[in-house]
Each structure stands twice: as C-alpha cells, then as structure tokens.
Amino acid sequence: MMDTTKHSNYNSTPSGAGGHSLFEKIWDKHIVQTIEDGPSVLYIDKHLIHEVTSPQAFTGLNKRGIKVFRPKQIVATADHNVPTLNQHLPIKEALSRLQVEALIKNCAEHGIELYGLGHPYQGIVHVIGPELGITQPGLTVVCGDSHTSTHGAFGAIAFGIGTSEVEMVMTTQCLLQSKPKLMRINVDGELNKGVVSKDIILYIISLISASGATGYAVEFAGSTIRNLSMEARMTICNMSIEMGARCGLIAPDETTFNYIKGRKFAPQADEWNKKLTEWKTLFSDADAIFDKEIFIDAAAIEPMITYGTNPGMGIGVSKHIPSLNEIDAKEKNSFEKSLHYMGLQAGEHIKGKKIDYVFIGSCTNSRIEDLRMVASFVKGKKKANDVEVWIVPGSKQVEAQAKQEGLDKILEAAGFMLRQPGCSACLGMNEDKIPAGKYCISTSNRNFEGRQGPNARTFLASPLSAAVAAITGKVSDVREFLN
Amino acid sequence: MSKAINIITSTIVPLHNENVDTDQIIPARFLKATSRDGFGKNLFRDWRYENDDETKPKKDFVLNNPIYSGKILVAGKNFGCGSSREHAAWAIKDAGFDVVVSSFFADIFKNNALNNFLLPVVVSDEFLQKIFAAVEKDSAAQLEINLKEQSIKLLAGGEQEIFEINHYKKTCLLNGYDDIDYLLSIKDKIEAFEISMNS
C-alpha cells in the first residue's frame, strides 16, 4: 500500500532552478531575512490567541513596557477553559474565571478583537478562524495551540507555537524558524462506505507513527483529498501534528474558494478577484521536489479506531490489536504499558468493547458537517441506556446553524446532550472530564494517558463511528449499519 | 541572574518511557495559572501520585525514588510530543532540570525548551542506551554537557558524543540572549518588509 521515495538531491534553499512546492511558495514570500547558519525571520500574517497560552506573553510585553505591534492581525477567543453548560453565568471555578478575565483585560488594553463568552462568534479557535473567513490561502497563521495545523487545509502555512513565541509575534509579528523538510502524502481512489476523513488521517498516522512526520511540513494531495469538503480537509490537517508534522497543508481549489466567499472577513468585490488570481498560483509545481513522498490507496482504508495511548496506535475496526510477536522488541515495553493503561489485551478484537461515554467535539470534528453526519445516522434511533453522550459544537455559529437545521431536536430525541462551544472533554481542562477507568469513544485528536481526565481511557474515531457506538453501547463497525 | 548556560555536570534522572507527551509532563488541569512559576510541583503529576493524591506517591516512578536526582533528565525517543503548551518546559525547568537528553524531540517542545534555557540534547539511540545502562549500574553516574564543545560525556566511562545545535541558538544560550531581543533589534527591517509586501 505504501511506497516511499526519498529524493537525495533536494536543495534546502529552493529559490532558483526547479519547481516550487506549495509550502515553498508561501514560505519564500514571508521571509524577512535569514540568519547565517541559523533560522529565518518569518513574517506572520494572522495570530490567533486564547486564554490558556497568552497571559504569560502579555505579562512579558508589560514587563518590557511595550504594546502589541500589530493588534489588528490578532483575533482572540475563549475556548480551552470555558464551561460548556450555562455559559451565561459567571464561571464557577475561580482559576478558570481569572484566566478568562485576564484575556478580556489584556485584549482591551492592547486593542485586540475578542470573541469571548457570549459573543455570537465565540468558539474553538480553529473552528472560528475558517468560519469567519480569517483563514485564507497563502497566509502564515500561528496560535499557541498545536492544532493550528488545521488552517493549512486552506493552503496556508499554519502551525502551533509556545508562549514565548506568542510573545515574539505580539512584539514583532515575526518568528525565528528553521525551514522544515517537505513531505507529500498522496491519497488516491474512492473511499469505502462508512469511511470519512478522520479515518484517512488515523490510517496515515497508524502507518507512519506518532513521530513519523517530525521535522516535516506535509502536503496532502491526490484525488481522494481533492474530493473532500473543507470541513473534511480541516480534520486531516488538524491531526498532522499527531504524526509530529510542523504543519499540514492542502492546495486551495474551487472547494476552498467557494467556502471562503462571502464570509465575514473574506475579501470583497475587486479585492476578491485580486486575491483569487493570487490564490490560483498556490499549488506544487509538477517538478517540485519533496524529501519524502508517500502513496496511499483510499480503498485500503476502513473505519479506524485507536486502541493505545498515542494516535499512532490505530487499527481498522474489524482488525485485532497487534499481538506481542507483531511488536518490535524495542517497543514492547511502551506497547504493554499502553495496553495496561487501556485495560486491553494484545491480540484481542476491539469490536464489541463496551464503552461508557461518547464525546463528539473538538477542533478535529465539531463542525456543522460533523453534526449533520451524526444527526443523519442517529435520526430515529436511541442511545444505549448506560452510555452518556456529549455533543459539543465547535462554535456559536455551528450551534446556531445546527438549531436552525433542527439537528438539536434529532440529537436530543436520541438522548444525546448538546452542550455549548469549547474544547471540553478533548483535553479535560474544564469540568468535562471522563471518570477514571471509563471508556470514551471520542472524535478528538489525542488518546494520551489522562488526556480526557485522570485515568480516563480514550478510543479515537470518526463522528460516524462515535455515533454508532452511542447507539450500540460498544465499539462497532459502522459499515454493518449502513444501507 | 544570567540565564546563560555552558557546562553542566550532574547526576541523572532516567525516564525510560518513549513518546512522553506534554499531557504527561503537565496535565491540562494545571494550566490555569497566568504566571510562568510554580509548575514544577505538578511535573508528571499523574505518573507521580496515586489518584491525584500527593500523600500517595507511586513508589515505582523515578521522581519518587530518592536514589535518583540531578539537573539532567534522560528520556526515551519522541520526548515532548503533543500539545504546544510551554508549561511543559516551565515545569521541567521549575523542577530543577537544566537539560533533557533524548534520542528524538518533538518540534514544538524543542523550541519551547530552548526559549527557556532548558537545553534539549539529541543523542544517538546507542548513546541513550549507554546512559540508561550507566545509571542503572550506578545511580550516582554523572553526565557532563559542554555546550561550547557540543559534547555530552559519561564521566565514569569517558564515553562521549557530539550533539547538534544550530549556531544561532548556541550563541543565544551561551550568552543569555533571547529571540525577542533579536527580533526587536530588527524592527525597522520588519516594518520595511511589511511595506514591500503590501505594495
């Protein structure tokens, strides 16, 4: 299934002979200068901030006695640490409240637009950027959150940064960055019934491992990717970081342009036409060179599920967990530790495992298309009695749209609880935690130990696979439930 | 107080795990502070304590084993993967470490560590196993890291390896400079770049 080609003649300073990749076209345009034998100064177009990774950066600025350099290029929201019930009431937990209040104060002091709690645009930072038309092709986008790679779905260079780097962008709109190596992952062919974009990315990570793309910018290409909606493309780029990639990106096309057109911050009138001409040059030239290239047959992908404690530990739902003799000797310890945490046995089938919670949400899968997918599957069905189901829309706009389409009624009739927007049980920073020892099938991005709460056990899967598990109460193969 | 680092000689805290993610280093529920201080006490919180209870340390976890201490944390490959939270680097530094040694670091963590004068040292798989073997044989085994020479040495046996670090970052660490100082020094150039970009 996988064919890897290594090109040894790749030149790390590409300007000159040969074609350019999508990544290089954007990168080269944003270089202010390059330090000899060191990193480049990369100009950042858009900076998204939230309450958890920004306060120490603002403190740094205040200590230096300087103001934010380009406040109009920053957009803020509160998402990681907000409750997903009763958002109209003051936040109960003192530390969380202080953190959200610090964001409000900092944004006001520095003239930054904030879509905080109660604002109709509030939501998960990686959901609101695209839906407001802030994320556009050809831009450099950063945020103090690793899933910033999501925005690469629009043909942008988008990556997560730490708080010191948040402070750098606030002070100078620039970052010091070394140019990553380039990888292209081509997915071609028709997807099987019941297989969606989440399965594609979980499959890719299971092939190349949780560190398989570290040091690379990864372009996703091929007919399967071209046929995906923007929401589906975002799911794929979102999880690029789960294989270690610096960023993931997809060349913009008509699907991209149609998605952006008419959105709040999208270019208008003449500016739109000018931008469109520019955006249409954003693709990898036929003779662009990649350090590594991988080819994947879409037909080989089945609905995926993870069984371990990193996102690379995924299998097709009909498969068995690897037996000990299938595991590399060096990795045996980590593998056994992981299965012990999960309460699973090597070699056993994952289908039929009982689950306790279902979480449908996160910057990976909380967009309107995800909610429609779930609603259309569960319409007229009921959740299993002993399962609790939380649906957390990605933003106030997604929530409003879902209600307008009547999805809320369908979901409630099935016994699913529709909560309010935020990161929620993806990282268990607010009170939405999975209890110790319980199993949660989750549409989020990380199955790390304790990620959804101390000793919580996570199975990562697509919204469709999560929906079927909610109905049956166990890990199930959605293909058996589709006509 | 200068942040500069050059030669660090210390005993070792060995963490045999691979793929140590930043949620293990510092779980999300401890990210509610608005300052950079005090994260060390929650470093590896859920590996350190039974049921989140500080009175019940897990005996088999290395940080709870009094025979291991020091300024150098040595861990398996792909250290620092996952979330971009810089709190992970703050927690390690706050717990008294100046160096993390691994055969492979996740990108964002590596940058975060460097920005906090916490030196990430990449060694070969073989050398990593040598360190683990040395500290298993003698918990008082020491490593010497010399940034200027880019060398890492096991003091007892004398085995050593050269590690990579980009020249710019090395200069910053040796002199206690940070990236913000550098970027602020070229602000005119950045403003000129903005004008050329929009023209």
Side-chain angles (χ1 to χ4, degrees), chain A residues 28-39 41 43 45 51-53 55-57 59 64 66-67 69-70 73 81 93 95-96 98-99 102 143-146 159-165 167-169 171-178 180 210-211 213-216 241-242 244-246 309-310 330-331 334 337 427-430 433 446 448-451 453-455, chain B residues 3 16-24 27-37 39 45-47 49-52 58 61 77-87 90 104-116 125-126 129 165-169 171-172 178-199:
Chain A
D28 289 353
K29 235 187 121 182
H30 287 83
I31 299 301
V32 178
Q33 66 178 39
T34 297
I35 300 171
E36 205 186 324
D37 199 14
V41 178
Y43 188 81
D45 297 309
E51 75 278 23
V52 177
T53 58
Q56 295 87 350
T59 306
R64 286 173 198 262
I66 49 180
K67 284 276 166 199
F69 180 48
R70 296 288 181 241
Q73 286 168 243
N81 195 9
E93 214 261 330
L95 282 175
S96 302
L98 284 175
Q99 203 170 45
C143 172
D145 185 278
S146 61
F159 55 93
I161 56 177
T163 298
S164 295
E165 293 171 311
E167 190 178 336
M168 288 172 212
V169 182
T171 49
T172 64
Q173 208 57 37
C174 285
L175 280 175
L176 287 160
Q177 288 288 306
S178 297
S211 58
T214 303
Y216 289 90
I241 182 68
E242 306 311 335
R246 195 78 183 104
T309 54
N310 76 58
K330 278 205 296 198
E331 282 168 16
S334 297
K337 184 174 177 286
L427 82 164
M429 191 168 170
N430 68 355
K433 291 180 179 67
R446 289 186 176 136
F448 296 154
E449 283 182 33
R451 171 81 177 179
N455 290 313
Chain B
K3 299 178 282 187
H16 288 264
N17 309 44
E18 294 182 346
N19 297 311
V20 175
D21 60 76
T22 53
D23 276 84
Q24 305 319 314
R29 61 189 191 279
F30 299 109
L31 307 185
K32 296 179 181 183
T34 51
S35 81
R36 288 171 176 246
D37 313 313
F39 290 100
R45 175 82 187 196
D46 292 333
W47 284 351
Y49 304 112
E50 211 67 67
N51 304 321
D52 207 13
K58 291 184 184 175
F61 186 60
K77 73 162 192 229
N78 201 25
F79 187 86
C81 58
S83 155
S84 64
R85 60 188 71 162
E86 194 164 314
H87 312 65
W90 298 337
F104 194 91
F105 288 94
D107 271 348
I108 308 178
F109 175 81
K110 196 166 159 185
N111 279 345
N112 288 341
L114 288 166
N115 284 329
N116 287 281
D125 234 347
E126 295 73 43
Q129 297 315 321
I165 181 166
N166 86 47
H167 180 73
Y168 164 82
K169 263 298 162 193
T171 310
C172 287
D178 68 30
D179 286 358
I180 299 183
D181 296 331
Y182 174 79
L183 289 170
L184 284 170
S185 77
I186 60 160
K187 213 153 173 190
D188 290 353
K189 206 150 185 190
I190 295 169
E191 282 169 326
F193 178 85
E194 286 180 320
I195 293 165
S196 73
M197 217 185 177
N198 294 322
S199 62

Side-chain angles (χ1 to χ4, degrees), chain A residues 49 61 142 145 169 173 180 186 240 296 323 357 387 438 443 475:
Chain A
I49 64 170
L61 254 76
V142 296
D145 185 278
V169 182
Q173 208 57 37
N186 304 276
S240 319
I296 285 166
S323 331
Y357 284 78
V387 171
K438 298 291 182 191
T443 68
V475 174

Side-chain angles (χ1 to χ4, degrees), chain A residues 79-94:
Chain A
D79 57 359
H80 279 65
N81 195 9
V82 299
T84 56
L85 291 175
N86 296 317
Q87 287 185 345
H88 62 290
L89 298 175
I91 300 174
K92 278 190 210 146
E93 214 261 330

Side-chain angles (χ1 to χ4, degrees), chain A residues 63-141:
Chain A
K63 268 190 192 158
R64 286 173 198 262
I66 49 180
K67 284 276 166 199
V68 169
F69 180 48
R70 296 288 181 241
K72 298 280 171 266
Q73 286 168 243
I74 306 180
V75 174
T77 193
D79 57 359
H80 279 65
N81 195 9
V82 299
T84 56
L85 291 175
N86 296 317
Q87 287 185 345
H88 62 290
L89 298 175
I91 300 174
K92 278 190 210 146
E93 214 261 330
L95 282 175
S96 302
R97 191 175 61 246
L98 284 175
Q99 203 170 45
V100 172
E101 283 169 0
L103 182 71
I104 297 170
K105 178 173 159 282
N106 285 327
C107 287
E109 270 176 25
H110 290 271
I112 294 166
E113 185 80 29
L114 167 66
Y115 302 132
L117 279 185
H119 194 285
Y121 295 159
Q122 180 267 337
I124 305 176
V125 64
H126 310 309
V127 174
I128 70 168
E131 79 183 2
L132 289 170
I134 294 168
T135 308
Q136 294 170 18
L139 299 180
T140 48
V141 182

Side-chain angles (χ1 to χ4, degrees), chain A residues 60-324:
Chain A
L61 254 76
N62 294 341
K63 268 190 192 158
R64 286 173 198 262
I66 49 180
K67 284 276 166 199
V68 169
F69 180 48
R70 296 288 181 241
K72 298 280 171 266
Q73 286 168 243
I74 306 180
V75 174
T77 193
D79 57 359
H80 279 65
N81 195 9
V82 299
T84 56
L85 291 175
N86 296 317
Q87 287 185 345
H88 62 290
L89 298 175
I91 300 174
K92 278 190 210 146
E93 214 261 330
L95 282 175
S96 302
R97 191 175 61 246
L98 284 175
Q99 203 170 45
V100 172
E101 283 169 0
L103 182 71
I104 297 170
K105 178 173 159 282
N106 285 327
C107 287
E109 270 176 25
H110 290 271
I112 294 166
E113 185 80 29
L114 167 66
Y115 302 132
L117 279 185
H119 194 285
Y121 295 159
Q122 180 267 337
I124 305 176
V125 64
H126 310 309
V127 174
I128 70 168
E131 79 183 2
L132 289 170
I134 294 168
T135 308
Q136 294 170 18
L139 299 180
T140 48
V141 182
V142 296
C143 172
D145 185 278
S146 61
H147 293 108
T148 309
S149 56
T150 311
H151 308 265
F154 291 79
I157 292 180
F159 55 93
I161 56 177
T163 298
S164 295
E165 293 171 311
V166 169
E167 190 178 336
M168 288 172 212
V169 182
M170 285 178 174
T171 49
T172 64
Q173 208 57 37
C174 285
L175 280 175
L176 287 160
Q177 288 288 306
S178 297
K179 192 178 162 189
K181 290 182 283 182
L182 302 177
M183 183 190 297
R184 181 162 59 187
I185 299 179
N186 304 276
V187 189
D188 280 289
E190 290 273 320
L191 287 172
N192 290 312
K193 179 178 80 167
V195 175
V196 295
S197 71
K198 181 65 163 284
D199 301 305
I200 300 176
I201 189 65
L202 285 174
Y203 178 79
I204 293 172
I205 305 169
S206 77
L207 282 183
I208 72 168
S209 91
S211 58
T214 303
Y216 289 90
V218 177
E219 180 177 344
F220 297 95
S223 63
T224 316
I225 304 290
R226 290 262 75 85
N227 287 331
L228 296 176
S229 67
M230 284 318 295
E231 285 88 347
R233 292 179 192 184
M234 283 188 250
T235 301
I236 289 185
C237 288
N238 172 277
M239 288 192 73
S240 319
I241 182 68
E242 306 311 335
M243 50 188 186
R246 195 78 183 104
C247 64
L249 64 175
I250 295 172
D253 58 12
E254 287 304 318
T255 305
T256 322
F257 310 143
N258 289 336
Y259 178 97
I260 299 170
K261 199 167 187 179
R263 288 183 187 267
K264 172 87 180 163
F265 296 105
Q268 309 289 329
D270 284 355
E271 184 62 14
W272 171 262
N273 293 323
K274 201 181 125 205
K275 285 287 179 197
L276 201 57
T277 310
E278 196 186 306
W279 293 346
K280 285 182 174 171
T281 66
L282 296 173
F283 54 85
S284 287
D285 297 333
D287 53 348
I289 294 167
F290 293 86
D291 297 88
K292 194 169 185 177
E293 190 142 20
I294 293 172
F295 297 89
I296 285 166
D297 175 9
I301 308 173
E302 62 171 286
M304 295 288 295
I305 187 148
T306 62
Y307 60 86
T309 54
N310 76 58
M313 301 175 87
I315 48 175
V317 68
S318 70
K319 304 282 194 314
H320 63 79
I321 295 169
S323 331
L324 278 176

